[in-house]
């Protein structure tokens, strides 16, 4: 059919829409009544129109190609291998291992997996040339199937100290690792830390870009993609736009260093808005957050179990979190359409504004000496803390709502006897080079008060 639908109707301009809205408001101010400002300083309008739209934003997002990830902490290797193979049969397409012990037989782990069918992410909390060489050797026949995340800057920001390494400078060890292991991605960037600590979206994007720039300055362009770990919250459309803006900003920066291998976005729901009480609501939160991740163009999405705050890894929690992604991919047609957010004037506008504001903040950071310098001076920590306190105040006053916690709580809920894990910020007095960035959930104080009052 060549004719467009509704050709018999005259087009309505944005000016005409505004005039009609103003008439319906009966004298109330349009901007004060219908336009609201986000914490990032973005004015959100009641409608978006084609005649106000700038040029379409070019961003490489293919939602249909996202991989369903499964997070696995490596402890007992035999149990890890058995669990990994079981998860693959149950729908996992990418296994995301966290390894803290450099004595782990990683060669045996990788050789036990069908690397021709799945991707493997290895997050290492240590720097070891020999360990990464074993990974590189095992992955030699499977290029781009094994991705390693080494992030000394992220470790410094979270822990307050650099990683232990054979060299005095973490970057010297990282240079040796990247230059001698060309089959695998090695550099990881933990942008999820900024979100979980309470940074607003512009800060998250700017700090991630500055974080990335530090590695470009030290290592130059890489032959493999950078792995960016991002977290998404419940602000649905903003989170879609945030991930789209992140890819645009990364590609813009990468061009300056002639880096052509791109980045791999590994996305997980945020912990900041998750709750201990009425914990089943966490499943609803993570569902919309995974949708944002998919539509925002994540390469791998790893869900967060509804009971992850207070339960150790368990079969039921892992299965439900994985099944949420399987439903989105296989029953909700998220695997059928590429770039479903393209053409949305609202999302395009948010993407552009977030990218522009983040780029301006990034330039300020670089003009002040870069991310590491500002971490050392405590500037980044202070800025994130200020943003987190504003959000915390909004939660405490009931303006930021978490159902089941500060609105419609179930007073009969009892959690004291169900805690297998400590769900609050842990205080560990020790000597650090810098003040670490603290991840904190919005509901912590309220939950502690409720736990203390349980009979």
């Amino acid at each position: 059919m060549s004719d467009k639908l509704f050709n018999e109707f005259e087009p309505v301009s944005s000016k005409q829409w505004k005039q009609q809205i103003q008439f319906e408001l009966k004298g109330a101010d349009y901007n004060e009544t219908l336009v609201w400002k986000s914490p990032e300083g973005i004015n959100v309008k009641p409608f978006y129109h084609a005649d106000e739209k700038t040029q379409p934003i070019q961003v490489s997002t293919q939602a249909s190609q996202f991989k369903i990830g499964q997070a696995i902490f490596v402890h007992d290797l035999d149990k890890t291998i058995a669990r990994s193979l079981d998860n693959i049969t149950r729908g996992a397409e990418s296994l995301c291992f966290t390894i803290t012990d450099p004595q782990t037989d990683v060669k045996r782990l990788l050789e036990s997996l069908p690397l021709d069918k799945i991707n493997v992410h290895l997050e290492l909390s240590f720097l070891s040339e020999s360990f990464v060489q074993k990974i590189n050797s095992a992955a030699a026949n499977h290029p781009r199937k094994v991705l390693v995340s080494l992030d000394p800057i992220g470790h410094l920001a979270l822990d307050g100290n650099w990683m232990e390494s054979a060299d005095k400078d973490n970057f010297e060890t990282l240079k040796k690792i990247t230059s001698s292991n060309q089959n695998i991605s090695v550099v990881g960037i933990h942008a999820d830390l900024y979100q979980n600590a309470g940074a607003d979206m512009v800060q998250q994007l700017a700090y991630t870009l500055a974080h990335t720039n530090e590695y470009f300055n030290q290592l130059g362009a890489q032959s493999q993609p950078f792995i960016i770990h991002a977290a998404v919250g419940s602000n649905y459309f903003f989170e879609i736009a945030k991930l789209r803006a992140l890819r645009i900003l990364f590609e813009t920066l990468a061009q300056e260093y002639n880096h052509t291998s791109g980045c791999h976005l590994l996305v997980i729901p945020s912990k900041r808005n998750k709750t201990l009480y009425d914990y089943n609501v966490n499943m609803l939160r993570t569902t919309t957050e995974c949708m944002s991740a998919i539509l925002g163009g994540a390469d791998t999405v790893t869900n967060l179990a509804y009971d992850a705050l207070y339960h150790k890894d368990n079969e039921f929690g892992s299965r439900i979190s994985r099944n949420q992604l399987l439903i989105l991919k296989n029953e909700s047609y998220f695997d059928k359409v590429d770039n479903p957010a393209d053409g949305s004037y609202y999302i395009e506008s948010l993407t552009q504004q977030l990218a522009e504001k983040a780029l301006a903040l990034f330039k300020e950071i670089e003009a002040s000496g870069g991310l590491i310098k500002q971490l050392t001076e405590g500037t980044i920590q202070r800025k994130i803390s200020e943003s987190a306190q504003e959000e915390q105040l909004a939660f405490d006053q009931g303006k930021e709502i978490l159902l089941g916690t500060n609105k419609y709580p179930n007073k009969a809920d009892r959690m004291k006897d169900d805690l297998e894990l400590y769900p609050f910020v842990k205080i560990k007095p020790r000597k650090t080079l810098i003040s670490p960035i603290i991840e904190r959930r919005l509901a912590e104080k309220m939950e502690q008060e409720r736990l203390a009052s349980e009979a």
Side-chain angles (χ1 to χ4, degrees), residues 1 65 80 94 137 153 186 188 207 232 284 294 329 385 412 429:
M1 184 172 65
Q65 297 184 9
T80 295
S94 183
S137 175
I153 298 173
V186 172
Y207 299 159
V232 288
L284 304 178
I294 295 165
K329 190 162 195 175
S385 178

Side-chain angles (χ1 to χ4, degrees), residues 234-254:
S234 56
N235 194 341
Y236 185 69
F237 292 107
F238 268 72
E239 292 292 353
I240 295 172
K242 182 184 81 177
L243 293 179
R244 288 163 60 84
L246 176 56
R247 199 176 287 276
I248 291 170
L249 291 168
F250 179 90
E251 291 175 358
T252 300
L253 180 64

